[in-house]
Amino acid sequence: MARAIVETWEPEWLVTMRDRWSVVHAEPLTLRAHLAGPVAVDAVDALTVEGALQSVALLDVTGEPAADLFAAAPPGAWCPLVIPIEDAVREGLPVACASVAQWPEDVREGVRRKRRRPDAERLATPAGRGIVPTGGGPYKALDIPVPTRHAQWIDFHVRGDRARLLDLLSVVTGLGRARGQALGQVETWEVLDDPADRSLVHVGRPMRPLPVASAEAAHAEFPGGCIVRECGTRAPYWHRASRALCACPP
């Protein structure tokens, strides 16, 4: 696939971010999140840890949430954010050496329902004659099912800086989406030694989305199995600059 050409945005605070949160000493580690409740999951994209680390690193450096900071960025610009996890380069794209979430065997599937109600007062006409029909039509209140998983803990295998990861993880209190609905709450973190580097590949399988040249190349490289599809390769995963053909965990 052809990659989008994007502008790189490097604000002044990025220098401080690099000084404070780049990798000084890298080693294979397992980040274990002990969960306080269910986690919202996506049917296609697996749960990752890099986005949460980026958010708290940005807040530490600037004192502002990411949404406010990026409101000042040029439209569509890419900002090379830094966290204490090493990068690898595949097919010309940087990829964090961090696996997607690894769940224990006793994980349970569930569903949490999220109620979305329209703001009827804002939608009504200024003259006071407007009636917003919330029982049906485009303004109907929605009861949205959110798939969840229940487990005592989840692991992320990474290659990163232990001391700096410990500092950042101490303020990462949630994972995944729907955190405003009390999902994905993390009680405590452990940073454990990993006997092998399982951040990118393990037993012939990709441990996270990894850019590939073609589907044929992906299946040749990963005899343990993979799913080949277009997806984001680096947080923030929604950004078009990070999209590529990838071999993903089966």
Side-chain angles (χ1 to χ4, degrees):
M1 61 171 284
R3 297 200 187 103
I5 299 174
V6 296
E7 177 184 353
T8 300
W9 180 53
E10 298 202 9
E12 292 182 3
W13 48 258
L14 190 58
V15 176
T16 306
M17 192 180 200
R18 286 171 177 151
D19 289 342
R20 191 171 299 177
W21 295 119
S22 60
V23 174
V24 176
H25 173 69
E27 58 183 311
L29 301 167
T30 295
L31 312 182
R32 175 163 292 183
H34 295 273
L35 302 173
V39 180
V41 293
D42 190 280
V44 177
D45 294 315
L47 184 67
T48 60
V49 72
E50 305 101 282
L53 289 169
Q54 285 181 0
S55 294
V56 295
L58 278 170
L59 194 61
D60 170 75
V61 169
T62 68
E64 298 182 46
D68 292 347
L69 290 170
F70 283 93
W78 174 262
C79 184
L81 299 175
V82 177
I83 54 174
I85 290 176
E86 272 196 343
D87 285 335
V89 177
R90 287 186 56 102
E91 297 298 316
L93 289 172
V95 178
C97 295
S99 76
V100 299
Q102 305 298 303
W103 298 83
E105 292 183 359
D106 60 352
V107 63
R108 293 180 292 112
E109 307 290 336
V111 174
R112 174 74 63 85
R113 309 201 78 82
K114 179 174 68 173
R115 191 70 171 167
R116 180 177 293 173
R117 296 181 176 84
D119 187 346
E121 291 184 2
R122 183 178 60 83
L123 293 170
T125 61
R129 296 174 311 203
I131 297 175
V132 180
T134 59
Y139 304 117
K140 180 181 179 180
L142 300 177
D143 192 23
I144 303 171
V146 179
T148 60
R149 283 184 178 175
H150 300 247
Q152 290 186 328
W153 50 265
I154 48 177
D155 284 346
F156 301 93
H157 301 302
V158 307
R159 182 169 179 81
D161 190 302
R162 182 192 300 266
R164 294 190 168 191
L165 281 168
L166 280 167
D167 286 343
L168 269 190
L169 290 170
S170 66
V171 288
V172 174
T173 58
L175 291 169
R177 59 194 180 94
R179 292 188 298 276
Q181 284 75 47
L183 291 174
Q185 294 183 331
V186 178
E187 200 165 65
T188 58
W189 286 92
E190 282 186 278
V191 176
L192 308 170
D193 292 328
D194 203 335
D197 187 346
R198 295 180 281 176
S199 61
L200 298 179
V201 181
H202 183 57
V203 293
R205 295 182 176 185
M207 294 293 282
R208 57 160 299 116
L210 295 174
V212 291
S214 65
E216 293 76 14
H219 293 302
E221 182 178 359
F222 301 110
C226 65
I227 296 172
V228 182
R229 64 184 179 89
E230 182 185 330
C231 64
T233 60
R234 181 184 180 85
Y237 288 95
W238 53 262
H239 201 290
R240 64 192 177 100
S242 81
R243 297 193 68 80
L245 185 69
C246 291
C248 300

